[in-house]
Amino acid sequence: MPGSSRKFVLGIAGILLAGGLIGWVYDHAVWGLLVVALIILVWQTRQLLSFNRAVHTRDFAQFRYGEGIWQQMFSRYNYEHERALRAKQEYRRLLKEIRRSTDAMPDGAVILDEDNQIVMCNKAAKHLGGLKRKKDRGQRVDNILRDPKLTELLRSNAFAREIEIPSPVKDEAWLNCRVVPYGANQKLLFLRDITERIRLTRMRRDFVANASHELRSPLTVIGGYLESLSEDPGLEKDWGQPIRRMQQQARRMNSVVSELLELSRLESAGPASKDEAVDVRGLLSAARKSCAGQEDVAEIEVVSETNAQLLAAGNEIESVISNLLSNAVRHTPADGHITLAWSVDKKGAEIVVTDTGEGIPAEQIPRLTERFFRVQRGRARDDGGVGLGLAIVKHVLSRHDAELSVTSDLGKGSEFHCRFPAERIVLEPPVPIVSGGKCG
Ligand code: ADP
């Protein structure tokens, strides 16, 4: 028991004893005790009430606390009260500091609760997304930034993903959105102005599309004249070889122009429709057959245990398969093996092209889908590749909400996985099919 409490108890006991003794002297010990107890009770009750009043009014001028337990309680209360006040002031100062620093950020930051309702946002969120700090508090953020992609991002909890949405505030402006989880089910939504980047990308895309378009007609004319010249019986013998080389280069330029135009088209096209159900297994078998008759081609096998269909643009999926297969064929020796697989699982479906060819150095894998990237320029030029095939594959896949992933072992072979989401798969009863054989 603390000293002050002991003193208080002893004091009360002493007063009671004194009251009892005085009563005993007058032959009324019990009355003496009762009267003193009543006086103590009244006094302590009065103290308690006036302390309670002082606590509520924060005015201790009228409160007589003396030197005993009440003084102890009073100073303890005072100390705690001051401490809480200081902590509150510090908390307010910190909050102001945090608000000032987040307001200085060029990116919008929005704190969301577990139901994606706005808890707080900074100034940039107001300029970029039109969010109002006080008015929009408690509103679902996707009721203000209305875009299905954002709703999906918040719903899916796919925090590694970033999306681009048009700004609800400014025409022609674009925002990049990213969600970062923190605490207990809370999230931070970051908004970044990417209008300039989008503008430059569009400019580059338009430039490439226009330049490719302009090159097409002269190339057709050059190709036409070269063909006529090569068929001219009166042509001097010495011209045969140069004309064949010119024709080869014109064809190569033609394919570069066509692939660049195809890339521009894919870049500006929105998501692929889900109207067409594509028989992927059929496309894989057709791709395998198309190698028939070619010399020095590895054995190609189609492995598929499902006849599930893909809701996609059929011609684009065909081009994905043909790009991946032609790469595999070019980089796999004739005694190697190529597998074209189509499989379905709970999360979606996959087209996998596997080869036992030369493989790709690990550090170059992330760059494979860059335009004009070739692992070995000299070799690729000899192969007739221009480094646009995988860029086209990547764009087609992204139009189909799908992703490309590559694994490779140098000298052992490569695997190209095209993963499609379950929403694009139509399941049919499984029919195990394994067909294979040497091309040709
Ligand atoms: P290209 O038209 O030159 O083949 P791609 O974009 O299709 O261009 O491929 C880029 C580069 O990736 C190629 O030049 C090649 O070096 C490498 N590559 C692609 N597929 C394979 C593969 N299956 N095995 C080894 N290297 C590959």
Side-chain angles (χ1 to χ4, degrees):
M1 194 190 289
S4 56
S5 306
R6 204 177 317 120
K7 228 166 133 185
F8 177 75
V9 172
L10 286 176
I12 299 250
I15 295 169
L16 283 173
L17 196 67
L21 274 175
I22 295 168
W24 178 69
V25 169
Y26 291 100
D27 242 5
H28 288 293
V30 176
W31 275 107
L33 209 65
L34 276 176
V35 169
V36 171
L38 195 68
I39 292 169
I40 293 173
L41 187 69
V42 170
W43 164 246
Q44 293 303 330
T45 308
R46 197 172 155 271
Q47 280 292 80
L48 191 69
L49 290 175
S50 83
F51 185 70
N52 188 39
R53 194 177 329 114
V55 165
H56 277 91
T57 57
R58 302 245 169 91
D59 175 14
F60 284 88
Q62 306 300 316
F63 180 60
R64 283 191 211 96
Y65 44 80
E67 285 189 351
I69 199 165
W70 286 103
Q71 194 241 358
Q72 283 276 319
M73 270 165 60
F74 171 66
S75 53
R76 185 76 213 169
Y77 167 81
N78 239 359
Y79 169 76
E80 292 295 344
H81 182 64
E82 294 282 312
R83 209 165 72 141
L85 221 65
R86 273 200 304 278
K88 207 167 156 183
Q89 276 166 356
E90 180 65 6
Y91 171 72
R92 275 212 187 113
R93 195 188 60 75
L94 265 173
L95 210 68
K96 261 191 193 159
E97 198 71 31
I98 293 171
R99 190 167 280 174
R100 264 207 299 269
S101 58
T102 52
D103 278 350
M105 276 167 53
D107 291 349
V110 190
I111 298 179
L112 302 175
D113 66 11
E114 55 191 320
D115 299 320
N116 298 319
Q117 289 171 347
I118 300 169
V119 178
M120 207 178 106
C121 66
N122 68 350
K123 255 188 193 158
K126 182 178 168 192
H127 302 316
L128 297 172
L131 304 181
K132 292 176 195 84
R133 197 175 267 167
K134 282 188 186 145
K135 204 176 141 213
D136 292 339
R137 189 175 294 157
Q139 294 259 19
R140 273 187 67 106
V141 70
D142 47 348
N143 280 346
I144 301 161
L145 296 170
R146 286 176 174 272
D147 192 290
K149 275 191 281 178
L150 179 66
T151 309
E152 170 59 21
L153 180 73
L154 294 166
R155 193 191 57 79
S156 69
N157 285 350
F159 299 124
R161 247 177 66 204
E162 292 182 19
I163 55 160
E164 291 169 0
I165 61 168
S167 158
V169 183
K170 270 187 265 170
D171 286 346
E172 300 290 306
W174 282 80
L175 300 176
N176 168 286
C177 305
R178 201 155 55 95
V179 176
V180 180
Y182 79 96
N185 291 329
Q186 282 188 299
K187 292 168 214 153
L188 259 173
L189 169 68
F190 287 108
L191 307 172
R192 174 167 292 178
D193 186 356
I194 49 161
T195 314
E196 189 56 15
R197 203 190 77 201
I198 296 276
R199 195 181 66 82
L200 289 174
T201 309
R202 276 194 186 154
M203 258 173 67
R204 178 190 49 83
R205 195 178 66 207
D206 291 350
F207 169 78
V208 172
N210 291 338
S212 311
H213 213 78
E214 291 302 319
L215 282 171
R216 205 164 214 184
S217 318
L219 265 175
T220 315
V221 175
I222 292 170
Y225 276 119
L226 285 173
E227 193 160 344
S228 311
L229 272 173
S230 69
E231 285 164 5
D232 184 355
L235 189 77
E236 281 185 32
K237 241 185 173 182
D238 295 353
W239 279 98
Q241 174 74 353
I243 284 176
R244 267 196 300 283
R245 290 204 58 195
M246 280 193 268
Q247 272 185 308
Q248 220 177 20
Q249 290 305 316
R251 271 198 293 275
R252 186 180 154 77
M253 272 183 80
N254 228 333
S255 75
V256 173
V257 166
S258 307
E259 289 187 1
L260 280 175
L261 279 171
E262 173 66 357
L263 263 175
S264 297
R265 185 190 70 77
L266 289 170
E267 269 186 325
S268 44
S273 96
K274 293 181 183 170
D275 298 343
E276 191 183 343
V278 179
D279 172 17
V280 177
R281 199 180 54 190
L283 289 183
L284 293 178
S285 301
R288 191 184 76 83
K289 276 190 200 128
S290 71
C291 294
Q294 288 180 23
E295 279 175 23
D296 295 335
V297 171
E299 185 186 26
I300 303 174
E301 183 187 11
V302 174
V303 178
S304 178
E305 294 189 353
T306 174
N307 54 3
Q309 302 204 318
L310 181 65
L311 300 176
N315 56 337
E316 291 182 16
I317 300 304
E318 201 176 338
S319 111
V320 165
I321 295 170
S322 111
N323 266 308
L324 294 179
L325 179 58
S326 76
N327 277 346
V329 166
R330 273 187 286 147
H331 299 289
T332 307
D335 59 353
H337 191 92
I338 297 169
T339 311
L340 305 175
W342 170 236
S343 61
V344 183
D345 57 33
K346 275 185 201 152
K347 289 185 186 162
E350 238 183 7
I351 297 174
V352 185
V353 178
T354 314
D355 65 60
T356 57
E358 62 208 42
I360 304 157
E363 69 279 6
Q364 306 213 18
I365 291 177
R367 301 196 56 198
L368 287 179
T369 53
E370 284 175 24
R371 283 155 199 238
F372 296 109
F373 179 80
R374 279 163 293 177
V375 172
Q376 284 174 25
R377 287 183 171 267
R379 182 196 74 192
R381 192 164 284 135
D382 288 342
D383 285 348
V386 290
L388 288 171
L390 290 179
I392 291 178
V393 168
K394 183 185 143 186
H395 276 89
V396 168
L397 293 183
S398 104
R399 238 168 75 69
H400 288 83
D401 323 301
E403 274 175 13
L404 174 71
S405 63
V406 184
T407 53
S408 188
D409 233 346
L410 205 55
K412 290 189 180 157
S414 312
E415 269 187 31
F416 288 76
H417 292 249
C418 309
R419 177 150 267 290
F420 296 87
E423 301 87 73
R424 286 199 174 262
I425 311 302
V426 184
L427 290 173
E428 300 275 309
V431 180
I433 281 200
V434 176
S435 64
K438 189 98 177 162
C439 243

